[in-house]
Amino acid sequence: MLEVQNVTFHYNTQEASTPPALRNINLRIQPGETVAIIGHNGSGKSTLTRLLAAILHPTQGEVRVDDISTTARGEDLWTIRQRVGVIFQNPDDQLVANTVIDDIAFGPENLGLPRHEIEERVQEALSSLELGASAQLPISDLSVGQKQQVAIAGVLAMRPRYLLLDEPTTMLPGHLVRSLLATEQRLARERGMAVIHITHFMHEVTAFQRVLVMHQGEILLDGSPSEIFSHADQLETLGLDVPMVTRLGERLRARGWQHLSDVILTPEQLKADLCSSNSSN
Ligand code: ADP
Ligand code: MG
């Protein structure tokens, strides 16, 4: 389990008078949970990611990964590094090797795994991210989007227990966004991996079991997508939107389509609701 207890965090480089980047955060994430985090720029999402990954330590409070404090050292810190995989906003921050295949193999090699296991993991990661044809390419020839694909594949090949993705889809083309979201859900279901996915795109959020809304360093809302998007007005005051299909559902209800569910999350749900209300009219 990932556990954040009464955590406040202030960057050393921040002026003492400025508010902390995170304030009094309490959070528990179980293995197998899928969690999306939304919130406008500066709300503390990346800072929370760095604390969960033991890259930064709380100013106050404690962060624990499977009961190990992130302030641990030696063996314990190594265990945390193996269990928590992070994909950062900028792929250049995490690519280390010269070619695609070497970069993806780098993590599993560092885990000291046997050769055949490394190969199996690399092949699986290459195919999950549709990188098979690019395996031998030099990293320096790739676009930013392709670099992000390689960074994601490299972390997946480590098979972490907790996977943190900080705005991973900003630079990916649409078809890869859909396949990444499907891969995340599958890994949670089949391997019990917990997935924490930060995004600006509301339609991505509906794929997750749980959504956290951050604002000024705090977690303001924590619930299922339908719970979160039933607070459309509050989200609007925070400068956040609800998915387009949710808004459309609201408008139709306001115009007399009372049979529609309170909160519509997907086009498929809207279609099903419209068909069933048609047949009952
Ligand atoms: P988000 O990822 O939601 O955009 P961040 O976690 O990056 O938010 O930022 C939270 C707050 O911390 C902001 O006020 C930001 O200016 C500040 N901050 C982020 N990174 C640093 C840093 N390296 N040094 C000082 N302040 C930072
Ligand atoms: Mg950020």
Side-chain angles (χ1 to χ4, degrees):
M1 184 168 54
L2 294 180
E3 256 181 309
V4 180
Q5 254 180 357
N6 302 322
V7 163
T8 291
F9 180 81
H10 213 280
Y11 284 94
N12 286 336
T13 46
Q14 276 181 307
E15 300 240 355
S17 58
T18 56
L22 293 176
R23 268 197 297 198
N24 201 26
I25 301 274
N26 284 286
L27 178 66
R28 284 166 161 223
I29 295 173
Q30 306 286 350
E33 259 195 285
T34 64
V35 184
I37 306 184
I38 56 179
H40 57 71
N41 276 338
S43 57
K45 305 179 300 293
S46 296
T47 305
L48 179 60
T49 308
R50 291 182 201 121
L51 282 154
L52 288 170
I55 298 164
L56 294 175
H57 301 316
T59 311
Q60 278 166 37
E62 193 171 37
V63 178
R64 281 195 299 272
V65 176
D66 296 333
D67 268 332
I68 307 170
S69 165
T70 53
T71 54
R73 291 168 187 272
E75 277 289 298
D76 279 346
L77 184 58
W78 173 239
T79 303
I80 291 181
R81 297 262 178 265
Q82 276 178 278
R83 292 193 187 170
V84 182
V86 202
I87 289 146
F88 299 101
Q89 275 171 276
N90 182 354
D92 285 327
D93 292 345
Q94 55 193 325
L95 298 176
V96 286
N98 291 325
T99 64
V100 169
I101 194 156
D102 287 351
D103 199 277
I104 299 173
F106 183 82
E109 276 166 1
N110 269 326
L111 295 178
L113 297 168
R115 196 72 239 163
H116 68 90
E117 167 103 32
I118 296 175
E119 274 164 23
E120 184 199 311
R121 289 183 179 208
V122 170
Q123 287 310 321
E124 187 190 73
L126 280 171
S127 81
S128 288
L129 274 297
E130 301 178 22
L131 284 166
S134 321
Q136 304 301 335
L137 291 183
I139 299 284
S140 53
D141 282 6
L142 304 181
S143 68
V144 190
Q146 288 170 317
K147 285 183 185 173
Q148 189 62 295
Q149 275 169 263
V150 177
I152 295 169
V155 174
L156 288 185
M158 310 261 297
R159 297 199 181 155
R161 197 176 281 185
Y162 306 96
L163 177 64
L164 314 175
L165 306 104
D166 193 352
E167 298 189 27
T169 58
T170 323
M171 290 171 286
L172 293 185
H175 73 281
L176 279 177
V177 171
R178 284 187 292 279
S179 87
L180 175 64
L181 289 168
T183 302
E184 290 172 20
Q185 310 303 316
R186 181 173 56 78
L187 291 170
R189 213 170 43 239
E190 292 176 1
R191 300 227 175 105
M193 191 184 275
V195 177
I196 296 120
H197 178 107
I198 296 176
T199 185
H200 274 296
F201 304 108
M202 294 303 150
H203 59 271
E204 290 175 13
V205 163
T206 57
F208 293 81
Q209 296 166 346
R210 183 175 169 196
V211 183
L212 307 178
V213 180
M214 294 195 64
H215 182 65
Q216 294 183 346
E218 292 180 297
I219 297 175
L220 220 58
L221 298 170
D222 178 351
S224 68
S226 352
E227 282 161 2
I228 297 301
F229 292 130
S230 67
H231 297 276
D233 293 345
Q234 192 180 356
L235 291 177
E236 200 171 338
T237 62
L238 301 178
L240 298 170
D241 209 352
V242 302
M244 221 182 324
V245 68
T246 309
R247 201 163 283 277
L248 180 57
E250 264 172 37
R251 295 209 178 137
L252 288 170
R253 272 173 61 83
R255 294 194 179 185
W257 292 76
Q258 296 302 329
H259 289 82
L260 296 185
S261 310
D262 286 348
V263 181
I264 304 267
L265 294 178
T266 61
E268 293 73 27
Q269 188 192 355
L270 179 60
K271 196 171 153 198
D273 275 18
L274 285 172
C275 289
S276 70
S277 57
N278 251 341
S279 58
S280 61
N281 274 344

